[in-house]
Amino acid sequence: MPAADGFLRYVRFSQDRAESTTEAYARSIVLFLRWCALLGLDWRSAAGHLGAFMLWLRHAPASATAGWVSPGPGAKPVRGPRRINRILIAVRGLLVFAAGAGDVPSSVVSQIYEIADTRDLPPEAAGSDSGLHYRLRARHRVKEPQSNVDRASDEEAVGMLRACASARDLFLIIVMARAGLRRSQTVGLHREDLHFLVDSGALGCDFPGPHLHVVRRRNINGAWSKSRDSHIVPVDRLVVQAHDQYVFERRALIGDDLSDFVFVNLFREPVGSPMRPDAINDLTTALSKRAGLSRVIKPHMLRHCFGSNVADAGGELDVIQALLGHRSPFSAKPYLHPSRQRLRDAVERVGSPRLTTGATR
């Protein structure tokens, strides 16, 4: 439909959002429009029924043919709170965009947002000004349980490395676990981004030692860096050695190919074409099973492994922020998973009351 198409173009090009983000928004909007069609509702006036839409999302499968649901006691939800909230974000965006374009009445905005103050916001979101401010708060939202993304342990990462059947897969896992790159950033790397010399001055780069550049660009494989700003990540000798082994393997299998992408297909068609982001999930799932791990390691868990290891090694929050490519230091906090030994060491460093007061008893 024209309104949804216009909104998705706005998200993709005017807001410079990732292709994967635009796709997720499109899937969410499809669910909303399908629900409206099943109930015979005009999407332009359905904002007053979002509560019923939330119930439908919770219990109606993707293949649902009815606009209503009748869940019994203890019915297992089809979609969790986080997924429902993400769908609602896209729907609210569509309705607000349509209101601005005059496709829906402006009163729709008041049906999806209410006036709230900043007292319930965390300090970093409320700002440094101590005054009371007002904002728009979404009326429809499911409470999400507090759960952090788990990190891959060092043992799990090593197990995956040992299970790699090719130098390319070994280098790919090392880049995510030792440089903290997201999956799209990994398969979005170009050869020109790798500065693995001791001195890269000849390349016009004055950053010391081996490192790689994370650059946001449009790639033909759909890879898109979430970080808007380019940033540099230093790498160690393990990354450099893994890269050298991969270069020899790649040259032996496909010769001197002209692709500027670092990670290309070597064992499936089309050979030599850049790997897609979803191929990373397939690889980490296969390696987890091949390594005999008790759970499937997802790509982002390797990024958390990197952030936590930097913290355990004494890295400050601003350092972790820069390495992960975050604009705000608060964005790096979810990546901190203190090891048990670091928690123990912190307690041991605290002086006892006896020593502090000079008491002898």
Side-chain angles (χ1 to χ4, degrees):
M1 53 177 289
D5 189 51
F7 170 65
L8 293 174
R9 287 200 304 268
Y10 165 75
V11 170
R12 180 70 178 92
F13 302 112
S14 299
Q15 291 193 326
D16 198 24
R17 305 295 291 273
E19 181 178 338
S20 58
T21 301
T22 310
E23 180 183 358
Y25 273 41
R27 294 179 183 276
S28 300
I29 292 173
V30 165
L31 288 172
F32 173 66
L33 297 178
R34 180 185 302 166
W35 173 75
C36 291
L38 291 173
L39 284 180
L41 294 173
D42 187 333
W43 70 272
R44 292 166 293 188
S45 59
H49 305 280
L50 285 184
F53 177 55
M54 294 167 64
L55 181 64
W56 184 80
L57 286 175
R58 185 175 177 84
H59 296 285
S63 58
T65 57
W68 48 269
V69 292
S70 55
K76 185 178 180 179
V78 175
R79 300 175 183 87
R82 182 179 178 86
R83 173 65 178 139
I84 294 175
N85 286 333
R86 297 301 177 269
I87 295 173
L88 291 174
I89 289 175
V91 172
R92 286 193 293 265
L94 168 65
L95 293 175
V96 171
F97 176 82
D103 294 329
V104 302
S106 57
S107 59
V108 167
V109 178
S110 63
Q111 291 180 308
I112 57 179
Y113 288 104
E114 62 183 355
I115 302 298
D117 56 53
T118 56
R119 287 178 294 183
D120 62 333
L121 293 178
E124 57 269 21
S128 57
D129 189 354
S130 60
L132 184 63
H133 301 280
Y134 293 91
R135 61 187 177 91
L136 291 179
R137 181 172 61 190
R139 290 182 180 273
H140 307 87
R141 193 175 190 280
V142 184
K143 183 176 178 57
E144 298 182 23
Q146 294 292 332
S147 60
N148 296 325
V149 176
D150 194 7
R151 59 159 289 180
S153 67
D154 292 338
E155 293 76 15
E156 290 170 329
V158 171
M160 295 177 68
L161 291 173
R162 290 177 174 171
C164 289
S166 68
R168 184 206 63 182
D169 295 347
L170 182 72
F171 179 48
L172 190 149
I173 297 299
I174 283 184
V175 165
M176 291 193 293
R178 302 285 294 183
L181 268 61
R182 296 183 174 93
R183 65 169 195 169
S184 288
Q185 293 172 340
T186 301
V187 295
L189 285 173
H190 288 224
R191 292 181 177 182
E192 64 187 41
D193 300 332
L194 307 185
H195 292 181
F196 286 175
L197 302 174
V198 176
D199 183 0
S200 300
L203 303 175
C205 179
D206 59 358
F207 194 89
H211 61 277
L212 57 83
H213 293 256
V214 179
V215 182
R216 196 184 206 198
R217 57 167 70 92
R218 303 186 189 280
N219 294 303
I220 60 174
N221 61 346
W224 181 262
S225 175
K226 187 177 180 179
S227 303
R228 293 181 179 272
D229 301 324
S230 300
H231 64 281
I232 298 175
V233 183
V235 299
D236 58 16
R237 61 181 180 84
L238 294 178
V239 178
V240 177
Q241 290 175 355
H243 168 261
D244 293 343
Q245 294 173 359
Y246 167 52
V247 169
F248 288 128
E249 178 185 68
R250 174 170 170 168
R251 189 168 299 169
L253 291 174
I254 61 176
D256 294 325
D257 63 300
L258 300 179
S259 176
D260 187 49
F261 283 87
V262 172
F263 293 102
V264 297
N265 292 332
L266 297 181
F267 313 104
R268 65 173 63 177
E269 297 294 339
V271 174
S273 63
M275 294 179 63
R276 293 187 59 84
D278 53 3
I280 307 298
N281 293 76
D282 296 338
L283 175 61
T284 56
T285 299
L287 290 177
S288 299
K289 296 179 180 179
R290 195 182 307 162
L293 303 181
S294 59
R295 59 177 180 168
V296 172
I297 301 300
K298 299 180 180 179
H300 212 66
M301 296 168 67
L302 295 172
R303 178 172 165 87
H304 278 255
C305 175
F306 170 75
S308 296
N309 283 338
V310 173
D312 290 339
E316 302 293 340
L317 188 59
D318 59 337
V319 173
I320 301 173
Q321 170 196 350
L323 291 175
L324 296 178
H326 290 147
R327 284 189 173 186
S328 169
F330 299 104
S331 299
K333 284 188 175 182
Y335 292 85
L336 304 183
H337 305 267
S339 65
R340 294 179 178 179
Q341 186 59 46
R342 188 150 66 100
L343 295 175
R344 166 57 58 188
D345 293 341
V347 174
E348 296 293 345
R349 287 195 298 267
V350 178
S352 68
R354 180 187 299 273
L355 296 177
T356 302
T357 60
T360 58
R361 297 180 59 185

